[in-house]
Amino acid sequence: MKPLIIVTDSVFPSLDPAIAALARLDPEMRMAKSASAEDILAVARDADAILVTYAKMTGDLLRQLTRCKAIGRFGIGVDNIDLPAAAEMGITVTYVPDYCVCEVSDHAMALLLSLARKIPFSNKLVQSGRWEMPAVVPIHRLDGRVLGLVGFGNIPRRLAPKAQAFGMRVVTHDPYLSADVLKAAGVEAVDFDRLLAISDFVSIHVPLTPATRGLFNAQTFAKMKAGALLVNTARGPLIDEPALVAALKAGQIGGAALDVVATEPLPKNSPLIGHDDIILSPHTAFYSEEALVELQTKCASDVARVLSGEPPVYPVTMK
Ligand SMILES: NC(=O)c1ccc[n+]([C@@H]2O[C@H](COP(=O)([O-])OP(=O)(O)OC[C@H]3O[C@@H](n4cnc5c(N)ncnc54)[C@H](O)[C@@H]3O)[C@@H](O)[C@H]2O)c1
């Protein structure tokens, strides 16, 4: 019997790289009508494996799967999958931790530069016929400024040398790091409060977990250097958005550039819309044509490995 592989949801223009990587199994592939639990279960209840992008794989859903052996997450974050429930069901969860570290670190640097040089605001001025310098005042020199990286995993490790090339001093807070990693990167370890106090730019790179949800809230913003600029390419719910808007309005922080927001897609009436000191991109930090091929190929190849009884290259292990 052909293995049945379900795709719950996809943001990709095509799934050809995934289909090519699964070809050796000669599978039957089906796509869920929508990412709702009901539509996923309608096709996935008896599936051998599932490929998921953003759909919520709750414990309740996972416990209704009768023969699923593998869930491949098209991405890095696995916060949409109930990992303890998957372990309980004997399902191997795989992800792709390294497919877009170039892209996300570039995107974080691009957001940082856009904030620092006020490029989107300047563009808006000029496009509306205003060729003015006073409107963009003040802009500060980047060289010598402090960048605080919250979390020092794969992405910020790629971002650090990019920021250092602009003359920035890079500090980080990551409680699970070895001193060797930091020394090699020329990055200084500081505690979280110190990072907030000294950083001109703060870039967030921690996973979304119960412990990190709302990590940036009214208290955190109050501890940040006045006028500091915030970049988030990690996960939206790491920031308390009403508190962010209040901190910006109060001038407590100077601006924010967000690739991820608490509710995606961003609601049309979101309080984040319409501010010159907020830059938004639609969760595209991971994207390049090359990254998509790598992502789908690695994710689907691991699912093929699990279904063939081979060990996956990128299993998710619970910490
Ligand atoms: N915007 C996008 O398109 C996009 C793409 C890929 C990844 N991401 C997100 O980027 C984030 C970082 O990715 P990565 O590949 O660098 O992750 P990673 O798994 O390599 O590293 C995460 C790091 O965070 C540290 N950490 C955990 N809890 C912490 C805490 N409370 N304080 C400080 N550090 C903590 C861990 O020790 C680890 O070093 C993830 O949240 C991921 O979901 C977003």
Side-chain angles (χ1 to χ4, degrees):
M1 216 169 73
K2 287 181 177 213
L4 174 61
I5 300 178
I6 298 304
V7 180
T8 57
D9 60 318
S10 158
V11 292
F12 312 120
S14 122
L15 284 168
D16 288 350
I19 291 167
L22 290 164
R24 69 169 164 132
L25 302 175
D26 188 24
E28 178 184 345
M29 292 191 67
R30 285 195 219 149
M31 178 107 191
K33 223 165 51 182
S34 85
S36 72
E38 201 182 19
D39 283 339
I40 292 172
L41 279 170
V43 284
R45 198 178 293 275
D46 300 320
D48 296 278
I50 296 177
L51 294 167
V52 57
T53 308
Y54 297 122
K56 298 233 174 320
M57 306 302 280
T58 62
D60 184 48
L61 190 160
L62 296 181
R63 287 187 197 96
Q64 296 181 61
L65 304 175
T66 60
R67 42 182 293 136
C68 182
K69 287 180 214 58
I71 295 178
R73 155 85 169 111
F74 281 129
I76 292 181
V78 284
D79 43 278
N80 58 327
I81 304 172
D82 185 331
L83 297 177
E88 186 188 302
M89 297 292 293
I91 300 171
T92 300
V93 178
T94 67
Y95 69 143
V96 191
D98 57 359
Y99 77 100
C100 63
V101 289
C102 297
E103 285 78 6
V104 183
S105 56
D106 283 351
H107 202 88
M109 195 66 212
L111 292 177
L112 187 160
L113 291 170
S114 302
L115 276 176
R117 299 299 314 170
K118 301 189 180 172
I119 301 294
F121 177 59
S122 303
N123 179 56
K124 190 175 124 185
L125 282 180
V126 177
Q127 297 284 354
S128 66
R130 294 175 60 191
W131 187 269
E132 299 168 19
M133 184 183 146
V136 298
V137 166
I139 286 178
H140 295 284
R141 179 179 289 170
L142 210 51
D143 189 90
R145 298 251 145 189
V146 178
L147 168 61
L149 301 173
V150 184
F152 200 63
N154 295 322
I155 291 168
R157 281 177 214 192
R158 285 290 188 101
L159 173 58
K162 294 173 188 175
Q164 286 160 339
F166 282 85
M168 300 188 83
R169 173 182 158 211
V170 182
V171 303
T172 187
H173 169 69
D174 187 325
Y176 312 104
L177 265 194
S178 80
D180 302 355
V181 172
L182 289 167
K183 200 164 169 229
V187 170
E188 191 186 325
V190 291
D191 68 31
F192 188 47
D193 282 1
R194 173 121 182 99
L195 180 147
L196 297 173
I198 65 171
S199 297
D200 302 290
F201 296 84
V202 173
S203 188
I204 309 177
H205 301 282
V206 290
L208 177 64
T209 65
T212 59
R213 185 175 287 271
L215 184 66
F216 280 78
N217 52 43
Q219 289 79 30
T220 327
F221 294 128
K223 291 177 187 168
M224 285 173 69
K225 191 167 173 177
L229 301 171
L230 182 68
V231 174
N232 187 12
T233 55
R235 282 291 179 268
L238 295 165
I239 297 180
D240 175 340
E241 290 175 351
L244 170 66
V245 173
L248 285 164
K249 278 193 180 145
Q252 219 165 19
I253 68 168
L258 313 172
D259 182 56
V260 285
V261 290
T263 305
E264 297 180 6
L266 185 70
K268 287 197 168 59
N269 60 353
S270 166
L272 295 173
I273 293 175
H275 304 269
D276 288 330
D277 50 8
I278 299 182
I279 298 172
L280 299 163
S281 59
H283 200 150
T284 44
F286 69 90
Y287 167 67
S288 74
E289 289 297 310
E290 294 75 10
L292 287 195
V293 172
E294 189 175 332
L295 171 65
Q296 288 192 35
T297 305
K298 286 182 166 174
C299 181
S301 300
D302 248 2
V303 163
R305 283 188 195 96
V306 176
L307 292 189
S308 309
E310 300 157 21
V313 177
Y314 303 107
V316 174
T317 48
M318 276 191 290
K319 283 189 184 139

